[in-house]
Amino acid sequence: MSDAPIRLGTRRSALATAQSQQVADALAAASGRPVELVLITSEGDVSRASLSELGGRGVFATRLREALLAGECDVLVHSLKDLPTAPAPGLVIAATPPREDPRDVVVTRTGVPLHELAPGSVVGTGSPRRIAQVRRRNPWVEVRDIRGNIDSRIGRVRLGELDAVILAAAGLARLGGSLHDLHLEPLGLAEWPTAPGQGVLAVEIREDASADLADAVAALDDRRARVEITAERAVLAGLDSGCQAPVGVHAEFDGHELRVRTVVYAPGGGDRIGDDRAIPLISGYAGEKGSGDGADAADRADPVARAERTGTVIARDLLDRGAAGLAT
């Protein structure tokens, strides 16, 4: 077994390095080797264009994955919600550590809830999903497409440039810092499902990584998080084939049952199509249209495989109900 440092590739932002350091500490404990951060600049970190103009998912991951494949680092840490659903050739997501709070949070100076903000109030977010959700929650506010790190977004609220921003609770928790002068309104997942994989980190390695490294990374994997994100990303992958509308999806797995809530939104926030179902992951495929006797025996015994199958079925049902038409 090598005792050389493990090189962990990460974006340069304060949030990325903070969450990568958490993984680095856990990986050092699991491997018995020191772990050092390798800071990598992605296109998403240097461009000021909106995420929709840059191409959305993958804009933060491409350069990191190139560095991993080139041997510039041994392992990567991503925010899972930033990753495309298609597998990256030569790479594997070897661990998804325990999930942080997956909710979105409204940050304001006054503590006025989002739905009570006065007409003309300015709410900042760069996410098409969040834009649609804000417009549904309070159609009288102005939504401003913004970029920047968490500190800069919060700073714009403190300065009065924005009345509110929508942020991920997980990012706030991982970054830390004092928000004593501001008010936080967590948004319930039942009515405000978030991005697939939100709150989960992805630890990625090369397929040909050494057995020692692969075993150490695998020790960080959390079964509950793996089942949940598999279902969420399967929904997104299925919708990507025929639907460009914003989507929120959140799965909860309690060890026996998987509940998946999905909403596809019209970009303007006016219309939506939703799905909310609970699937037992013990035996059979009760409630899953188009499955049952044809399901492989391996699927029946593997909650991750069942979660993927469930997500695929949900996406197909949403497309059958007209989800693709919401984008037009």
Side-chain angles (χ1 to χ4, degrees), residues 140-160:
W140 298 279
V141 300
E142 175 190 341
V143 184
R144 187 168 299 171
D145 189 349
I146 62 171
R147 291 288 312 279
N149 60 35
I150 288 178
D151 285 341
S152 69
R153 296 183 189 208
I154 291 174
R156 295 173 74 174
V157 174
R158 285 192 169 111
L159 293 173

Side-chain angles (χ1 to χ4, degrees), residues 67-260:
L68 181 57
L69 289 168
E72 298 172 29
C73 55
D74 306 305
V75 60
L76 295 176
V77 173
H78 308 274
S79 291
L80 185 64
K81 67 178 182 179
D82 293 337
L83 292 185
T85 55
L91 303 179
V92 59
I93 297 174
T96 53
R99 189 173 211 164
E100 284 274 7
D101 188 341
R103 295 176 296 177
D104 278 345
V105 175
V106 184
V107 181
T108 63
R109 295 183 306 281
T110 62
V112 175
L114 176 61
H115 70 280
E116 294 181 6
L117 286 175
S121 297
V122 182
V123 179
T125 176
S127 159
R129 168 188 59 83
R130 288 171 176 160
I131 291 171
Q133 289 173 318
V134 168
R135 287 175 173 161
R136 283 195 60 85
R137 184 67 62 95
N138 187 337
W140 298 279
V141 300
E142 175 190 341
V143 184
R144 187 168 299 171
D145 189 349
I146 62 171
R147 291 288 312 279
N149 60 35
I150 288 178
D151 285 341
S152 69
R153 296 183 189 208
I154 291 174
R156 295 173 74 174
V157 174
R158 285 192 169 111
L159 293 173
E161 181 181 341
L162 300 172
D163 296 294
V165 292
I166 315 295
L167 300 171
L172 291 173
R174 291 186 179 121
L175 193 56
S178 175
L179 295 176
H180 66 277
D181 58 326
L182 298 174
H183 298 266
L184 306 183
E185 178 196 355
L187 298 168
L189 292 162
E191 284 298 317
W192 191 287
T194 50
Q198 183 156 310
V200 179
L201 301 178
V203 187
E204 195 168 44
I205 59 176
R206 293 186 296 273
E207 288 180 344
D208 62 356
S210 69
D212 289 343
L213 178 60
D215 289 345
V217 172
L220 309 184
D221 195 55
D222 180 75
R223 180 173 179 266
R224 176 179 177 179
R226 176 71 70 165
V227 170
E228 291 174 352
I229 63 97
T230 297
E232 292 168 12
R233 285 169 64 79
V235 173
L236 185 61
L239 290 173
D240 274 349
S241 65
C243 177
Q244 302 304 313
V247 57
V249 54
H250 177 67
E252 295 180 60
F253 179 52
D254 64 5
H256 301 280
E257 183 179 82
L258 177 69
R259 182 168 186 176
V260 187

Side-chain angles (χ1 to χ4, degrees), residues 30 34 46 112 235 246 276 286 301 303 310 320 327:
V46 297
V112 175
V235 173
D276 185 350
T310 298
D320 287 347

Side-chain angles (χ1 to χ4, degrees), residues 51-63:
L51 291 181
S52 59
E53 291 174 351
L54 288 173
R57 294 183 305 275
V59 68
F60 296 112
T62 300
R63 172 68 188 103

Side-chain angles (χ1 to χ4, degrees), residues 6 22-35 216 220:
I6 297 171
Q22 294 175 4
V23 173
D25 293 342
L27 183 56
S31 66
R33 295 167 57 184
V35 180
L220 309 184

